Amino acid sequence: MTTAPQPALGVGMIGYAFMGRAHSQAWRNARSYFDVPVEPRLVAVAGRDATAARRTADRFGWGDVETDWRRLLERDDIDVIDICTPGDTHAEIALAALEAGKHVLCEKPLANSVEEAEAMAASAEAARARGVRSMVGFTYRRVPAVAYARQLVAEGRIGQVRHVRGAYLQDWLTDPEAPLTWRLQKERAGSGALGDIGAHIVDLAQHVTGQTLTGVSALTETFVRERPVSDPSLLGTSGITGTAASNGSAARGPVTVDDAAVFVSRLSGGALATFEATRFATGRKNAIRLEVNGTRGSLAFDFEDMNVLHVFDNDAPSRDAGFTRVLVTEADHPWVAAWWPPGHVLGYEHGFTHQAVDFLTAVATGADPRPSFTDGLQVQRILSAVETSAEREGSWTPIDGARATSPVPS
């Protein structure tokens, strides 16, 4: 008996570095571990540096290399465009891909401005009517412990949400002689710690609670305002002049984004929330922390212990009270059954696989994948409000379009 070949979706990826490698492994693993309804075929990767792009292609099994991303849109063997490039390119690529009838997975943040994000969301909605799907890559949603936390909140296990605390702490910029990169240039990155990592904790807080932020009061700071230039491609940008060298640099360039952002907010259900995003938290490598306090209990998560969710049940007798450390590796936890036996923990890369699985399934079944471009636009409006508030010395700044869903106590 001959088995019919599985339907396939050809994938074209733009970008081949850190995110490109993470996404490449995800596309490969999706079909290896999950029963997805379509096979992802790694057709081509695009990047300006043909040698570097070829290196990624050969390592992960991509068929071809293109040095102009527009070529991917012209190819009939490509159905999905995966955008893994800096934020300043997201809008142009996504708009062109959707117009060409390609499904789009775009890394976060969706864009570098609200205006770009609005255009992308509108284009995605128009494309949706033609059966073209799109999703923004807030990958930490797909960590099993985070998904489990969302389930518990939705089930009412912690009651009414009162407080949310979110923090994303890194330390890779604490050295003032660390070189200038595109992530430190506003025209490339849009913002600094705020958009790069702050966007994640905003999305996680909203995703887990099922509520949205309605306004913010914020402060931002750039602690090191000038850095050495070791990348020759940055010369001539942001007013940088001079020469660059591998052992240091004769040129120094301005840092035009925030190094850290802190802000308070109110959620649509009336809860208070605090957020911190920094790349100057000495000793913290990738600490994504989320705590949710409710009337019946609390949840606490830290990505540096990503397989664990701490759960407090306020209904338990006081003699038994305390946070329970739940190892989220059981088969009935989200996504876990496809992997290993209980106690065999997952890692950073698995969230990307879950993202690929969900996206492929949605496209194949005609469902709307989440988070959508509209979700990405909503996060972009929050980032913009944070910047506006910081420019106004922390004044309260409402989020455009946000509305409370329940009365706020006076």
Side-chain angles (χ1 to χ4, degrees):
M1 179 177 177
T2 303
T3 303
Q6 187 179 30
L9 286 174
V11 181
M13 186 177 71
I14 306 173
Y16 49 76
F18 175 33
M19 278 298 105
R21 294 192 296 271
H23 282 228
S24 295
Q25 178 165 307
W27 294 119
R28 283 159 40 112
N29 280 347
R31 185 169 177 263
S32 299
Y33 290 91
F34 291 82
D35 293 326
V36 291
V38 290
E39 175 190 356
R41 291 184 178 167
L42 280 60
V43 176
V45 58
R48 288 177 296 181
D49 186 328
T51 301
R54 172 51 65 186
R55 189 178 303 117
T56 294
D58 291 345
R59 181 178 294 270
F60 290 97
W62 292 92
D64 293 331
V65 166
E66 302 283 0
T67 54
D68 184 344
W69 61 264
R70 295 168 185 83
R71 284 283 299 121
L72 300 184
L73 275 55
E74 299 168 357
R75 296 182 58 149
D76 293 334
D77 56 351
I78 290 178
D79 306 290
V80 174
I81 295 297
D82 184 7
I83 304 173
C84 300
T85 54
D88 63 321
T89 64
H90 288 184
E92 181 184 10
I93 297 172
L95 292 172
L98 291 168
E99 180 64 26
K102 309 295 186 184
H103 307 290
V104 176
L105 172 60
C106 181
E107 260 301 324
K108 64 82 223 163
L110 185 62
N112 274 6
S113 69
V114 171
E115 293 73 23
E116 287 180 341
E118 286 175 338
M120 295 169 73
S123 179
E125 187 61 26
R128 175 178 172 272
R130 306 191 306 271
V132 177
R133 307 296 169 180
S134 54
M135 187 170 80
V136 60
F138 283 109
T139 317
Y140 293 117
R141 283 188 178 204
R142 291 175 165 85
V143 171
V146 171
Y148 178 51
R150 175 178 166 85
Q151 288 181 352
L152 293 180
V153 174
E155 292 168 1
R157 290 281 296 277
I158 68 166
Q160 184 177 353
V161 175
R162 298 297 196 199
H163 292 283
V164 176
R165 298 178 191 85
Y168 200 147
L169 313 176
Q170 296 179 338
D171 72 352
W172 61 277
L173 284 178
T174 53
D175 181 358
E177 294 303 306
L180 192 74
T181 73
W182 68 266
R183 292 185 184 275
L184 304 181
Q185 296 183 299
K186 189 171 182 63
E187 65 268 29
R188 298 289 307 281
S191 62
L194 174 62
D196 184 24
I197 57 180
H200 275 302
I201 52 173
V202 166
D203 181 71
L204 286 183
Q206 295 188 136
H207 178 63
V208 169
T209 63
Q211 301 181 30
T212 57
L213 276 61
T214 61
V216 296
S217 174
L219 296 174
T220 61
E221 185 57 66
T222 303
F223 299 115
V224 178
R225 297 183 176 273
E226 187 179 79
R227 290 184 177 274
V229 178
S230 59
D231 182 354
S233 69
L234 297 181
L235 297 176
T237 65
S238 297
I240 300 171
T241 59
T243 58
S246 59
N247 61 344
S249 178
R252 299 184 73 86
V255 175
T256 53
V257 298
D258 59 279
D259 285 328
V262 295
F263 53 101
V264 297
S265 182
R266 189 186 297 278
L267 273 68
S268 54
L272 299 180
T274 60
F275 297 92
E276 178 184 7
T278 179
R279 301 189 283 213
F280 274 73
T282 305
R284 300 299 180 191
K285 301 306 176 184
N286 203 48
I288 308 169
R289 298 175 173 180
L290 184 70
E291 181 168 326
V292 183
N293 305 134
T295 53
R296 294 184 55 199
S298 293
L299 305 172
F301 169 79
D302 187 339
F303 186 72
E304 290 187 345
D305 193 10
M306 65 170 286
N307 291 277
V308 169
L309 183 69
H310 294 271
V311 181
F312 181 85
D313 182 0
N314 202 39
D315 294 332
S318 59
R319 66 178 184 180
D320 303 323
F323 276 90
T324 298
R325 182 180 184 273
V326 180
L327 187 62
V328 188
T329 61
E330 296 294 328
D332 54 354
H333 286 133
W335 295 290
V336 175
W339 295 104
W340 320 120
H344 293 68
V345 295
L346 304 186
Y348 173 71
E349 71 277 12
H350 291 84
F352 291 94
T353 299
H354 303 155
Q355 174 176 270
V357 167
D358 287 353
F359 185 73
L360 290 167
T361 302
V363 170
T365 60
D368 294 323
R370 298 289 299 270
S372 66
F373 276 21
T374 298
D375 296 326
L377 166 61
Q378 195 266 345
V379 172
Q380 199 70 46
R381 285 174 172 156
I382 294 171
L383 302 182
S384 177
V386 169
E387 291 187 304
T388 298
S389 175
E391 290 168 358
R392 298 173 180 172
E393 297 298 324
S395 65
W396 182 257
T397 304
I399 308 299
D400 289 346
R403 296 288 186 274
T405 57
S406 63
V408 176
S410 59

